[in-house]
Amino acid sequence: MKLKILSAVLLTALTVSLAGCSASTDTDDATTTGADTSLSSVIDAGVLIIGTEGTYRPFTFHEGGSGALAGYDVEIIEAVAAELGVTAKFEETQWDGIFAGLEAGRFDVIANQVTATPERVAKYNFSTPYTFSTGVIVVKSDNTSITSFETLAGKTTAQSLTSNWNTLATESGARVQAVEGWAQSVALVEQGRVDATVNDNLTFLDYQKQTGATGLKVAANTDEKSATSFAFVKGSTELTDAVDAALEKLAAAGTLTSISEKYFGSDVSQ
């Protein structure tokens, strides 16, 4: 999916038409007075409004398709809201419209495994990262021939052709068998029909956690880690800083580790 990004400190005027929620109050007040009320408006309202998909397991989803909203991102932002002394309220929306919703004042923050790309950093504030992951090579447990990305040369991997993992496998010299996604690729590895698949470690950890699969292992990790953060309207410096402070407390208390292990069986928060 996702770079450590420091919170931006420049205030950008945003005019919104919505009223009656903390997100719109913040941007309206900041526009007319030049003051950053991003935190005070949340505290005054007693609610942190959060934009999320609700369809992205294991980060934000409904158990069984219709149960209560749950997930790794959901629990972490709920813990952050508790540290701020407010209630977490979720506004579910499709990914394609999630940033537009933030800009329109529908919510105060996005919690949906957002990567702080340079393009996004220019437009939004970002918290310190709360999820880190690497790319991994997944093989059968008894495979001893693949120990690094260099040893993928000449081996067969199962990859979705539109993914960046396909690019990495190809650049490593692998012969790629096209598949539709993770479920098909990992099945081919388990069946011994391909040597490996390259994917995100979070995907692999979630698969292990959900299925209890024991016949697979990670043969190698990428050197670089991807990181994901909470996203805010540009200029929401006080709210961003408060969330950063909450994340620091939650990390020190072991809360982030506990939530990580619940969903992934491993600590992906650092």
Side-chain angles (χ1 to χ4, degrees):
M1 305 158 324
K2 291 159 174 213
L3 326 163
K4 281 198 174 184
I5 303 299
L6 295 177
S7 302
V9 297
L10 297 179
L11 180 62
T12 300
L14 279 174
T15 302
V16 295
S17 59
L18 300 180
C21 68
S22 58
S24 61
T25 301
D26 163 32
T27 51
D28 284 345
D29 289 351
T31 298
T32 58
T33 70
D36 177 7
T37 60
S38 56
L39 177 60
S40 62
S41 59
V42 167
I43 300 301
D44 290 345
V47 176
L48 180 68
I49 303 175
I50 304 146
T52 195
E53 282 183 283
T55 57
Y56 186 21
R57 190 185 185 100
F59 305 103
T60 164
F61 66 98
H62 291 271
E63 193 67 61
S66 59
L69 186 66
Y72 174 73
D73 285 46
V74 171
E75 291 201 24
I76 290 183
I77 197 64
E78 285 178 332
V80 166
E83 285 291 331
L84 297 180
V86 299
T87 301
K89 178 182 178 182
F90 294 92
E91 293 286 342
E92 294 179 50
T93 188
Q94 293 183 344
W95 173 257
D96 289 348
I98 205 164
F99 283 99
L102 180 67
E103 294 171 7
R106 286 179 53 202
F107 25 83
D108 304 296
V109 59
I110 297 173
N112 208 95
Q113 285 292 294
V114 179
T115 303
T117 63
E119 295 79 13
R120 289 172 181 163
V121 170
K123 297 180 65 177
Y124 308 100
N125 275 24
F126 284 91
S127 70
T128 53
Y130 62 93
T131 316
F132 296 91
S133 187
T134 60
V136 294
I137 304 172
V138 178
V139 300
K140 293 186 70 173
S141 297
D142 59 358
N143 186 309
T144 58
S145 64
I146 299 176
T147 57
S148 66
F149 281 88
E150 289 74 19
T151 57
L152 275 182
K155 301 297 194 299
T156 302
T157 70
Q159 311 293 153
S160 170
L161 296 184
T162 59
S163 74
N164 58 321
W165 306 118
N166 171 61
T167 301
L168 181 55
T170 302
E171 290 177 347
S172 299
R175 297 189 301 265
V176 171
Q177 179 170 328
V179 295
E180 293 183 358
W182 165 255
Q184 188 176 359
S185 64
V186 73
L188 292 178
V189 174
E190 290 176 319
Q191 295 163 8
R193 295 170 60 186
V194 299
D195 300 302
T197 184
V198 180
N199 213 294
D200 189 286
N201 189 45
L202 294 178
T203 302
F204 174 63
L205 291 175
D206 177 52
Y207 179 76
Q208 276 195 317
K209 183 73 173 174
Q210 295 300 319
T211 66
T214 58
L216 300 170
K217 68 178 181 180
V218 171
N221 293 265
T222 56
D223 292 331
E224 295 184 355
K225 285 186 176 182
S226 62
T228 58
S229 305
F230 298 123
F232 309 82
V233 168
K234 196 73 165 179
S236 300
T237 306
E238 291 191 1
L239 179 57
T240 305
D241 289 347
V243 169
D244 284 349
L247 286 171
E248 185 175 2
K249 287 183 179 179
L250 292 168
T255 305
L256 297 187
T257 297
S258 178
I259 296 172
S260 294
E261 291 178 344
K262 173 181 177 179
Y263 286 96
F264 300 103
S266 180
D267 188 2
V268 301
S269 68
Q270 58 186 340

